[in-house]
Amino acid sequence: EDLSIRRADSLVLSVLRETHVELGGVHGSIQFDSACFDVTAGRQLALTDVIPDVSGLPSLLAQLLQEHYAPDLFYEDQDIPSFLADSLDAIPWTLDHNGVTFYFNPYLIGSFMEGIFTATILFNEEPGLFHERYRHAPASYCMELLPYNKVRTSFAKGRNSSIKVGGSDSGILVTVDDKKLDDSGEAGGLRPVL
């Protein structure tokens, strides 16, 4: 089990938990779950506290997934918007500094080999979607990045980017949008921080 603090400030605590599970097959798998709290109100947040109208989320999430992942990574016969409409409550999500990220566990929309799919809706892309209380990011922050998983974030002057940190044959590979830095070093036990 591993915990990742996605956001911790004077308003929100958002935690992502990774658990190793045995599903009875040849190999184990990982599963994510999450919890988000309003620290000033002292209560756990529901998705509808952050995004009051979730009716358009299945289509928006499907669009983001299709923009950021190759089509052959998804199950061929799955209608992703319909699937999401039926299972939105079961998909882990975190309230990050710049948006909300949804985590699609292995086998949910793609094979185990594809790993975890993520879809992030950034505050600056869909400001009207979010409750006013939660749609503002602190001026500065740090956030642990999940190794080998893409993270979408927003930088200064509203520039949105995807970041991925992982290993390569020669060491550590950092990808920002379409630019790559392959550096020598030990990639085992990575705990990258943005």
Side-chain angles (χ1 to χ4, degrees):
E1 184 170 296
D2 195 15
L3 295 177
S4 175
I5 305 299
R6 306 303 294 159
R7 178 173 171 175
D9 55 40
S10 60
L11 180 61
V12 171
L13 172 63
S14 186
V15 180
L16 184 67
R17 182 176 71 162
E18 178 183 338
T19 306
H20 182 82
V21 295
E22 294 295 332
L23 301 173
V26 185
H27 53 75
S29 185
I30 59 170
Q31 296 286 310
F32 284 124
D33 59 25
S34 62
C36 300
F37 302 90
D38 182 317
V39 296
T40 59
R43 65 182 183 85
Q44 187 167 352
L45 293 169
L47 181 58
T48 53
D49 292 326
V50 179
I51 301 174
D53 181 5
V54 296
S55 63
L57 270 185
S59 295
L60 180 56
L61 290 172
Q63 175 188 337
L64 288 170
L65 288 165
Q66 291 163 350
E67 286 174 7
H68 296 281
Y69 295 96
D72 60 341
L73 299 181
F74 301 101
Y75 293 134
E76 289 179 25
D77 58 350
Q78 187 176 45
D79 178 8
I80 293 177
S82 296
F83 171 78
L84 294 175
D86 294 339
S87 59
L88 193 58
D89 291 339
I91 298 170
W93 59 276
T94 56
L95 177 53
D96 305 331
H97 294 91
N98 293 314
V100 172
T101 300
F102 293 82
Y103 302 85
F104 300 88
N105 286 312
Y107 300 113
L108 202 57
I109 57 175
S111 76
F112 170 81
M113 290 300 296
E114 306 312 332
I116 300 291
F117 291 82
T118 61
T120 301
I121 305 169
L122 297 173
F123 297 145
N124 68 358
E125 291 178 337
E126 299 286 340
L129 187 66
F130 300 98
H131 188 289
E132 172 70 26
R133 179 173 174 82
Y134 302 110
R135 73 173 172 227
H136 300 288
S140 57
Y141 64 90
C142 70
M143 176 175 70
E144 184 175 1
L145 301 176
L146 301 173
Y148 304 96
N149 285 282
K150 268 194 236 181
V151 173
R152 288 186 67 234
T153 192
S154 181
F155 290 112
K157 300 180 183 172
R159 188 178 133 243
N160 300 334
S161 292
S162 291
I163 302 169
K164 182 178 179 181
V165 179
S168 70
D169 292 339
S170 61
I172 299 169
L173 178 64
V174 179
T175 307
V176 178
D177 297 327
D178 60 349
K179 295 180 176 91
K180 294 183 180 193
L181 169 66
D182 197 347
D183 199 7
S184 61
E186 176 56 43
L190 280 175
R191 300 290 299 224
V193 176
L194 173 65

